[in-house]
Amino acid sequence: CPVIAIVGSYIKIYYVLKSRNTSILHDNQESSNLEERRVQRKNKKSVMKALKMSVIHAVTFILSWTPYTVMATWDSIDKDSAHEVHPVIQDIFYLSAVLNSCINPFIYGAYYYTENTRPNK
């Protein structure tokens, strides 16, 4: 199932980023150097940005593909009742699924734009 693979991949990414962040924090924990603390904060922000982007993509994928998947499963189980759903609705479900690939560049663009227009703290 694609959803399980995507969610599993993002969970793995989260744990890798978290472990890297933890090792960075542990290495710099005893440091009193102001520059090292600034680098530490920047690394933590980078991890959170990557995590946020991963969550946005996973949620978008799930929202885009769920209606179509439910309709296709319903059609496999009971074709007669599934065909009672208006064909336009079925087409919308299909289009929402395939348009997921078209939505991803807009998500990246919007995220990149908002991250680069924020004032640096």
Side-chain angles (χ1 to χ4, degrees):
C1 184
V3 172
I4 293 170
I6 287 176
V7 171
S9 297
Y10 284 129
I11 289 171
K12 177 69 174 171
I13 290 169
Y14 169 74
Y15 282 115
V16 167
L17 291 174
K18 185 177 177 182
S19 69
R20 285 185 184 171
N21 192 36
T22 302
S23 68
I24 291 169
L25 289 175
H26 181 68
D27 292 343
N28 292 329
Q29 188 175 26
E30 298 167 358
S31 174
S32 59
N33 187 343
L34 186 61
E35 180 64 22
E36 288 180 7
R37 287 184 193 164
R38 186 186 65 76
V39 169
Q40 179 183 357
R41 277 195 306 271
K42 187 176 180 180
N43 287 339
K44 187 173 182 177
K45 283 183 182 182
S46 295
V47 168
M48 292 310 294
K49 286 178 186 180
L51 179 60
K52 191 187 307 182
M53 178 60 75
S54 296
V55 168
I56 289 169
H57 277 285
V59 168
T60 303
F61 178 85
I62 291 168
L63 291 176
S64 297
W65 278 92
T66 299
Y68 174 74
T69 304
V70 168
M71 190 68 220
T73 304
W74 181 10
D75 187 57
S76 296
I77 294 170
D78 186 8
K79 288 191 183 300
D80 294 333
S81 65
H83 288 296
E84 292 177 16
V85 175
H86 198 278
V88 172
I89 301 296
Q90 292 182 25
D91 290 343
I92 290 170
F93 289 166
Y94 176 73
L95 288 175
S96 73
V98 296
L99 285 175
N100 176 258
S101 298
C102 299
I103 293 169
N104 287 336
F106 291 106
I107 293 171
Y108 281 120
Y111 189 77
Y112 178 78
Y113 178 77
T114 58
E115 289 299 319
N116 285 333
T117 57
R118 287 185 184 171
N120 291 333
K121 295 180 182 176

